[in-house]
Amino acid sequence: MAAASLSLNGCTEIENLLAFCKIPKERVRIEESGHASSTKVPSLTLSTGQTVHGVRTVASYLSALSRQTLLGNSALEHAQVDQWLEYWQLQLEKYLNDTTQVCGALKDLNKFMSKRVYLVGHELTLADIMLYYALHPVMLELTVHGKEQLINLSRWFNQVQCYPGVRQYLPEVSFLRNTLYG
């Protein structure tokens, strides 16, 4: 079976997901992009010559190749995972680059997570992984007080970062105060 070709085009979230899913290089090989692109739009060319473009599409395809159930356990969960991926791509991405709007988005996510362990269902899904990668730089920059203000989001984030294989090379986001005794 010939390998599919994946052009990342600067999309580190897809690169991280590929490593997390542990898909063998015989199935998907990464190709260098032929041009410098300002947009992070990956593309995946299958051995049949068919190509799919876009973060959500490529992420869903790679998740389907994974041995883990990352797309949910039912049609409803699959739709909810896709809904979160759409939220991430269409809403959260623009908020992350605007400090005035990011606080509101984080507060909304914090409120949503108040009665949940994961974004969808009762186990880790693609939605959790992709939002973790998107939020990592923001959570890394928050003060301990800022993280305490977002206690539900912080709990979820810490749980996802501690899930085996998710964090990979990313620096661990600390959620504890260091007490100094003199």
Side-chain angles (χ1 to χ4, degrees), residues 123-139:
E123 58 188 51
L124 185 81
T125 64
L126 179 61
D128 296 295
I129 295 168
M130 298 307 278
L131 259 67
Y132 165 80
Y133 292 142
L135 291 173
H136 187 272
V138 174
M139 297 299 284

Side-chain angles (χ1 to χ4, degrees), residues 90-118:
L90 299 179
Q91 298 295 320
L92 193 58
E93 277 286 307
K94 65 182 172 188
Y95 296 155
L96 294 177
N97 297 322
D98 183 345
T99 53
T100 60
Q101 290 187 329
V102 74
C103 291
L106 294 177
K107 287 178 183 175
D108 289 344
L109 286 169
N110 185 61
K111 185 177 179 183
F112 180 81
M113 293 309 300
S114 68
K115 296 179 181 167
R116 301 177 152 280
V117 176
Y118 294 104

Side-chain angles (χ1 to χ4, degrees), residues 28-58:
V28 176
R29 64 180 154 70
I30 297 175
E31 290 187 348
E32 294 298 321
S33 176
H35 54 69
S37 174
S38 62
T39 59
K40 300 186 327 182
V41 181
S43 64
L44 182 69
T45 304
L46 306 177
S47 58
T48 61
Q50 296 170 305
T51 302
V52 293
H53 302 277
V55 177
R56 287 175 33 218
T57 311
V58 171

